[in-house]
Amino acid sequence: MSKAGSAFVVFLLLLGIYLVYTGTTNPVDVIAGGVAAAVIAALSADLVVSKPSKVFDPRRWVAFVIYAVKYLTVIEARAHLDVIRRILSPSLPVDPAIVRIPYAVSDDYAITTIANSITNTPGTVVVDIDTERKYMYVHWIDAKTTEDEGARAHVSEEFENYAKLIFEG
Amino acid sequence: MVTDALTLIGQVLGCLGLVLALVGAVNDLIAAIGFVRFKNFYLRLHALTVGVIGGTFYPLIGLGTYALFCIAPPLGYYVAGVSYVTAFFVLITAPAGSHAIARGAHRAGYRPEPAREDKLAKDREEGVME
């Protein structure tokens, strides 16, 4: 059951991407996309989805939409303006450091979401990650603090809270 | 009357899309300036992010929105779909590339200079991080 559920989730995702990408609902496209999606889903379902019931939990989707909107508007705009100001300012004001940021999630998707969110915000780049001790090493263009918990509060706490709501459990 | 209002909304959204594309062009230019002005690999990665998200992701979203509302349907849907899907994949795959080259550079011994602190190098020296 779980395997069929996983395959169904992957199938829906792939078919959705295919139909949005082609931009048509021709029977030919729907059938071709459906067959391709079904084959790939049957082959890769185990690797991609482990608990398909999580996908159909509306609370996770609400958290995801809130996070996506907030991240892509407010957080990105603020970070872009900050780095653009540094690039264009004549004195080039940077104070970089590689800080160590602890995280407390264990789901692979949640870890990836946090790392991608950090890197996609200008001003912070994840350099390396230690999944055993649960630390991310982050290059920060303007290190306000080099303490672990202080850096976490500045850089990743918000991402982590949403990643927990969306993917954990 | 209703169709008029919808056309107007569509045109406003199309214009917003074009504005996003223009903002993206400016972001790309600033990212290029940042590439020249920053003298350190890790600092250049931050300029790179401005170019990827501000200079690629947002213009693609804008282009998709413009195509959706201002280009006649069959072609418009096609362009919009390609733009949105490409934007989505840029958003989730670009950081993977950044992670890989940053990790590779640090493992190869390239250190961030200047830097207040480098906890990764410190942890590697102490042996707690491979």
Side-chain angles (χ1 to χ4, degrees):
Chain A
M1 184 56 217
S2 170
K3 163 133 198 198
S6 305
F8 181 63
V9 169
V10 179
F11 170 78
L12 281 185
L13 179 73
L14 292 175
L15 185 61
I17 289 175
Y18 185 95
L19 290 180
V20 171
Y21 190 82
T22 52
T24 62
T25 47
N26 277 344
V28 178
D29 274 316
V30 176
I31 293 168
V35 170
V39 171
I40 298 170
L43 292 175
S44 68
D46 291 348
L47 304 171
V48 184
V49 182
S50 56
K51 268 199 207 159
S53 58
K54 277 157 77 177
V55 180
F56 300 105
D57 184 347
R59 278 170 304 171
R60 295 180 191 273
W61 282 98
V62 170
F64 171 74
V65 170
I66 293 173
Y67 178 54
V69 169
K70 187 174 181 192
Y71 179 76
L72 291 177
T73 53
V74 181
I75 298 176
E76 282 288 2
R78 212 188 305 151
H80 271 81
L81 289 176
D82 182 64
V83 171
I84 286 171
R85 188 177 55 76
R86 287 175 202 285
I87 290 174
L88 296 182
S89 154
S91 60
L92 215 60
V94 293
D95 182 16
I98 292 186
V99 295
R100 189 172 61 188
I101 295 182
Y103 62 90
V105 296
S106 50
D107 187 274
D108 283 348
Y109 281 102
I111 297 172
T112 311
T113 303
I114 297 171
N116 278 6
S117 299
I118 292 174
T119 301
N120 269 343
T121 344
T124 45
V125 171
V126 176
V127 179
D128 211 334
I129 185 166
D130 186 337
T131 46
E132 271 167 31
R133 292 183 305 137
K134 298 200 171 214
Y135 283 123
M136 287 179 191
Y137 294 87
V138 177
H139 187 269
W140 192 3
I141 198 170
D142 174 40
K144 294 191 177 65
T145 168
T146 52
E147 286 168 39
D148 292 1
E149 286 300 328
R152 177 193 196 162
H154 270 102
V155 174
S156 74
E157 196 164 38
E158 192 168 21
F159 306 149
E160 194 176 328
N161 291 341
Y162 278 104
K164 225 179 248 173
L165 284 177
I166 298 168
F167 291 112
E168 275 288 279
Chain B
M1 196 60 199
V2 177
T3 38
D4 280 357
L6 283 180
T7 318
L8 186 67
I9 291 172
Q11 282 183 344
V12 170
L13 286 173
C15 288
L16 281 178
L18 289 182
V19 169
L20 271 184
L22 193 67
V23 168
V26 175
N27 269 331
D28 267 336
L29 180 67
I30 292 171
I33 295 171
F35 250 77
V36 178
R37 293 201 69 199
F38 286 145
K39 297 299 178 203
N40 178 271
F41 167 77
Y42 298 93
L43 290 175
R44 283 182 177 146
L45 275 180
H46 300 303
L48 175 78
T49 312
V50 174
V52 168
I53 303 302
T56 307
F57 177 77
Y58 284 108
L60 279 170
I61 294 288
L63 188 67
T65 308
Y66 176 78
L68 196 60
F69 291 106
C70 299
I71 297 180
L75 185 63
Y77 289 161
Y78 176 67
V79 176
V82 170
S83 300
Y84 287 143
V85 171
T86 312
F88 171 71
F89 280 111
V90 166
L91 186 70
I92 62 170
T93 56
S98 292
H99 294 155
I101 51 175
R103 183 166 185 268
H106 203 281
R107 285 180 80 88
Y110 189 78
R111 296 285 174 261
E113 294 283 336
R116 256 194 21 225
E117 192 163 4
D118 185 350
K119 285 208 175 168
L120 180 53
K122 211 188 276 175
D123 279 5
R124 284 228 170 94
E125 278 160 22
E126 287 170 11
V128 287
M129 174 81 191
E130 57 163 310

